[in-house]
Every structure is written in C-alpha cells, then in structure tokens.
Amino acid sequence: FPSHDSLLAEEGINSTLAGKAENIQAVIKFLRTRPDFTDLECKYSQCDFLPFRKLKVLHKKEIVTLGIPHIKPYQKTGVQVDALEWNDLIASEDVVLIDTRNVYEVELGTFQGALNPNTETFREFPNYIKNHLDPAVHKKIAMYCTGGIRCEKASAYLLEQGFENVYQLQGGILKYLEKVEPKHHMWQG
C-alpha cells in the first residue's frame, strides 16, 4: 500500500501518495469511483525512495493559510486556464500576471513578466492586493502557484474584492511543466 501525507480542511483535501505505480493507480481508480472524487486532479512525479515513513493525516482550518475564513474556494474561483493555453493568456498586454507564491519560492523561478508580491507567508497576499491593485484599473488578472491550490484561494479572494476577470493556471506550475514542451516554456527557472 502506498505511503502518504494528507491535509484535510473544510475547503478540501491535499494529499501526496508514494509507492509503486500500479498501487498508486489502484488508489486513484478507487477514489474516482466515489462521487466527490470523480474529477480528482492528479499530478505525477518520481522519486527513488519512499518519502513518507508512516501514514499521516492532519486536520487544519485551511489547506493554505490566507487567514480569511469566509473565503470559500470550493464555491467560486477564477477561470481555470489549461497549461496549453496559458502562454497565449499571459502574452496579452492587458493581463496583470501575479505569482502567488512566497518570496523564497519565486527565487527558484517564475513566469516572465510576473509580479512578485514579496510575501513571506500567504497571509500577506491580501495586503499586497490592497496596496498594489485596483479592480477599476487592473481589468484582467492571471495568477499561478506551484500546484494550483493557493491560486484557488487567491482567485476567490480577488473576486470578492471586485476583480471581475480573474484567471488561474489549472494545476499550477507542476501541470504546466508536465504538459508544455520545454521549447515553448515561458517559465524561467
């Protein structure tokens, strides 16, 4: 059986499974038979060793901590943009591109032209938006994060703040790197 590490919260589940490929596929196949998991988003990577020693499931208030409890990404988020369509969106001159990750993550790489909010924690993101963006001026916002979870929350927050055209990279950077051929990457890192 695969080892795993999971976070559970009202807003969703974030889980990482590790094990033999056939065992992982068996778990995913089973989960997709359950009504709440038919559209389960999966990302794949490889490792030479099992990264988890034991089963660990943590219950948290938030998967990623924004600190604004009424933001419910499972109710409304920005438009999901497939990785294969992402380059066209962010190449538009009228799009403000935001990297929603923390400063130490941005240092590892970013999309060309992206704004870096210079946050140490995700809790600082709303203050960045308040001080740097205006829904009356910035009409089209695109954002991304590592795996797509932080963007869910960030886009829900922007919509609540009055931004109307909010887009997010579906599956995050990980899905972009998985689907887009390196010769077409706009990723720098």
Side-chain angles (χ1 to χ4, degrees):
F1 186 79
S3 64
H4 70 83
D5 197 9
S6 299
L7 299 175
L8 304 175
E10 179 186 341
E11 63 194 18
I13 300 169
N14 183 17
S15 186
T16 303
L17 298 174
K20 292 182 179 178
E22 61 269 15
N23 293 344
I24 299 293
Q25 289 306 317
V27 170
I28 292 170
K29 183 178 178 181
F30 168 75
L31 288 172
R32 285 191 170 139
T33 67
R34 313 304 300 162
D36 290 342
F37 296 108
T38 55
D39 60 351
L40 184 66
E41 170 88 25
C42 297
K43 296 170 200 75
Y44 298 93
S45 60
Q46 295 195 5
C47 188
D48 294 331
F49 59 91
L50 283 177
F52 313 114
R53 292 187 166 173
K54 61 183 179 178
L55 166 68
K56 184 168 63 170
V57 179
L58 300 174
H59 184 265
K60 294 179 67 175
K61 289 183 180 181
E62 301 177 80
I63 300 287
V64 289
T65 305
L66 184 61
I68 304 174
H70 67 273
I71 297 295
K72 308 286 187 208
Y74 54 84
Q75 292 176 341
K76 185 175 182 183
T77 63
V79 176
Q80 297 273 344
V81 178
D82 184 80
L84 297 174
E85 298 169 5
W86 184 248
N87 288 352
D88 289 338
L89 173 67
I90 66 173
S92 291
E93 289 183 22
D94 62 340
V95 171
V96 176
L97 180 60
I98 304 171
D99 190 328
T100 65
R101 299 170 307 143
N102 299 332
V103 67
Y104 59 90
E105 296 168 297
V106 175
E107 288 174 3
L108 298 175
T110 192
F111 281 101
Q112 107 191 27
L115 298 177
N116 176 2
N118 290 302
T119 57
E120 294 293 325
T121 70
F122 192 48
R123 283 180 176 270
E124 299 170 16
F125 186 77
N127 199 40
Y128 172 80
I129 297 302
K130 178 182 169 189
N131 293 323
H132 294 90
L133 296 175
D134 180 347
V137 176
H138 305 100
K139 300 287 187 183
K140 204 170 184 182
I141 307 286
M143 60 184 60
Y144 63 93
C145 57
T146 304
I149 296 172
R150 202 173 308 185
C151 292
E152 294 281 309
K153 220 161 197 185
S155 70
Y157 175 76
L158 285 173
L159 290 168
E160 183 196 64
Q161 298 305 302
F163 293 89
E164 294 180 14
N165 299 301
V166 179
Y167 303 87
Q168 61 193 68
L169 176 56
Q170 184 176 19
I173 298 161
L174 296 175
K175 190 57 78 173
Y176 180 88
L177 295 175
E178 183 182 313
K179 290 179 83 172
V180 177
E181 292 182 43
K183 67 182 178 183
H184 298 297
H185 280 187
M186 291 181 76
W187 175 256
Q188 300 172 330

